Amino acid sequence: VVDTVAPVLSFAIEPPSLTNIPELSLSAIFTDDSPTTVELKINSQVVANGSSVNLNEGLNQIYAKATDSAGNFSEITRAV
């Protein structure tokens, strides 16, 4: 059986589109039947999943990607 299904990816807590707090906790969660890796970035900088990150004043880009062992992947982006 060939795995052709991408992981289901979301944020544990959806990042707000507007905030006045200087720090944000980021956690990406996924579901998949095979081992999966998660890549998480804010403003193109890799951050650890489940970490608190400092926000820049103005627009911040959040990116998450989950890739399973078959190479299937899902991506999500948010602007804060």
Side-chain angles (χ1 to χ4, degrees):
V1 176
V2 176
D3 179 4
T4 59
V5 179
V8 176
L9 178 65
S10 63
F11 289 108
I13 299 173
E14 187 66 28
S17 59
L18 292 173
T19 185
N20 62 354
I21 58 171
E23 190 175 272
L24 186 65
S25 179
L26 290 178
S27 293
I29 55 175
F30 64 89
T31 55
D32 196 84
D33 291 336
S34 63
T36 302
T37 59
V38 173
E39 175 183 3
L40 191 59
K41 295 181 181 180
I42 184 161
N43 300 323
S44 300
Q45 299 296 314
V46 175
V47 296
N49 196 17
S51 65
S52 290
V53 296
N54 292 322
L55 298 175
N56 295 332
E57 190 168 331
L59 186 64
N60 293 269
Q61 294 291 334
I62 299 170
Y63 169 83
K65 180 179 181 180
T67 306
D68 67 18
S69 59
N72 304 307
F73 65 91
S74 296
E75 300 171 294
I76 51 177
T77 59
R78 298 292 184 272
V80 175

